[in-house]
């Protein structure tokens, strides 16, 4: 028996929420269309969402939370962190580069020092620099002795010749420049006899090196 009232099943909260969701409302209208195209669309649709939304287990599925940016503060924090990391990497690269330059500078200084030490050690072995402090004649001014060897013998012979010529010159001056008398005309004493000095002996080494027989 009909009383003339139309009984309508009340909608659930989920259904009422979907009526306010534009996306869900559009999808519902697409699924409720009539006609051949709508029927083929509903038959070929992989799910209630239609062809535009793949299944959750599909490779191309992406949730709305992943498609849209919802954490602005987190993105800002990540940007600041990336900038900080980039600056720290720049500082680290500069530190490493400066350390390498400093190491190269010290290595260069050590190489120069080693080369200088090798140079002076070579000079000590050669003795070229020490020759500046060596006397030009083979004679020791401390002990007043001639050096051993050919140079010392030559210098001794040269000095003996100088003394020989001096004594010979003195003898000639006395004999030729003084009185012819055999006594001193002032005090009457006898004059000392002037014996000619002996000529210095030439060293055998000098004769051997000079090529004399």
């Amino acid at each position: 028996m009909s009383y003339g009232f139309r009984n309508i099943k009340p909608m659930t909260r989920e259904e009422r929420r979907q009526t306010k969701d534009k996306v869900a409302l559009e999808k519902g209208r697409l699924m409720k269309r009539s006609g051949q195209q709508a029927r083929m669309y509903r038959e070929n649709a992989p799910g209630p969402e239609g062809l535009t939304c793949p299944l959750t287990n599909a490779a191309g599925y992406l949730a709305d939370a992943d498609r849209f940016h919802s954490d602005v503060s987190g993105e800002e924090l990540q940007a600041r962190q990336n900038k900080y990391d980039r600056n720290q990497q720049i500082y680290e690269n500069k530190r490493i580069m400066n350390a390498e330059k400093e190491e190269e500078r010290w290595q260069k200084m050590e190489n120069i020092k080693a080369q200088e030490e090798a140079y002076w050690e070579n000079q000590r072995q050669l003795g070229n620099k020490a020759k500046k402090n060596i006397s030009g004649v083979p004679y020791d001014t401390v002990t007043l002795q001639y050096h051993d060897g050919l140079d010392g013998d030559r210098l001794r012979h040269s000095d003996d010749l100088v003394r020989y010529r001096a004594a010979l010159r003195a003898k000639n001056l006395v004999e030729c420049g003084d009185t012819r008398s055999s006594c001193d005309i002032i005090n009457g004493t006898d004059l000392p006899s002037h014996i000619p000095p002996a000529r210095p002996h030439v060293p055998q080494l000098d004769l051997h090196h000079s090529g004399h027989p």
Side-chain angles (χ1 to χ4, degrees):
M1 182 176 179
S2 176
Y3 294 98
F5 295 98
R6 183 183 177 184
N7 296 326
I8 300 175
K9 182 180 178 180
M11 293 185 297
T12 62
R13 292 183 178 178
E14 184 66 24
E15 292 175 349
R16 291 196 301 270
R17 190 179 298 111
Q18 290 180 359
T19 57
K20 298 180 181 180
D21 187 3
K22 184 177 181 181
V23 176
L25 183 61
E26 292 292 336
K27 289 181 179 180
R29 289 176 180 178
L30 288 175
M31 298 301 294
K32 292 178 182 179
R33 289 182 304 170
S34 61
Q36 183 66 19
Q37 288 292 90
R39 185 173 62 82
M40 293 179 60
Y41 175 81
R42 286 191 297 269
E43 292 177 356
N44 296 326
E49 301 295 338
L51 292 175
T52 57
C53 295
L55 297 176
T56 56
N57 58 355
Y61 174 77
L62 188 64
D64 294 341
D66 298 330
R67 288 203 305 264
F68 301 103
H69 298 287
S70 58
D71 189 7
V72 179
S73 60
E75 293 178 359
E76 183 67 21
L77 176 62
Q78 186 65 32
R80 292 197 304 270
Q81 185 66 32
N82 294 337
K83 183 178 180 180
Y84 174 79
D85 295 340
R86 185 171 60 255
N87 293 335
Q88 293 299 319
Q89 186 64 36
I90 292 174
Y91 299 151
E92 182 67 16
N93 294 337
K94 288 183 178 180
R95 186 189 65 80
I96 295 175
M97 184 173 58
N98 293 334
E100 292 177 353
K101 288 182 178 180
E102 190 69 13
E103 186 66 24
E104 291 177 358
R105 187 176 71 87
W106 279 101
Q107 186 64 33
K108 183 178 180 181
M109 293 172 60
E110 291 179 357
N111 294 337
I112 293 175
K113 184 66 175 177
Q115 293 176 1
E116 184 178 357
E117 290 293 338
Y119 169 77
W120 285 113
E121 184 64 25
N122 187 27
Q123 291 298 323
R124 295 187 190 99
Q125 295 295 333
L126 295 176
N128 294 331
K129 301 295 183 181
K131 291 181 179 179
K132 295 181 179 180
N133 297 326
I134 298 177
S135 176
V137 294
Y139 184 79
D140 194 343
T141 58
V142 178
T143 61
L144 303 180
Q145 298 294 329
Y146 294 96
H147 292 174
D148 297 333
L150 180 60
D151 293 337
D153 294 339
R154 286 177 177 176
L155 180 61
R156 183 186 293 107
H157 177 65
S158 177
D159 293 342
D160 291 341
L161 286 178
V162 171
R163 287 188 289 268
Y164 167 75
R165 287 193 295 267
L168 189 61
R169 185 168 56 252
K171 174 181 175 299
N172 294 332
L173 288 175
V174 170
E175 292 179 353
C176 299
D178 202 355
T179 178
R180 300 292 180 175
S181 178
S182 60
C183 63
D184 192 346
I185 60 175
I186 297 177
N187 53 22
T189 60
D190 294 334
L191 293 175
S193 60
H194 294 280
I195 301 175
R199 186 176 181 86
H201 175 68
V202 180
Q204 295 297 326
L205 291 176
D206 195 1
L207 293 175
H208 176 72
H209 288 277
S210 60
H212 295 288

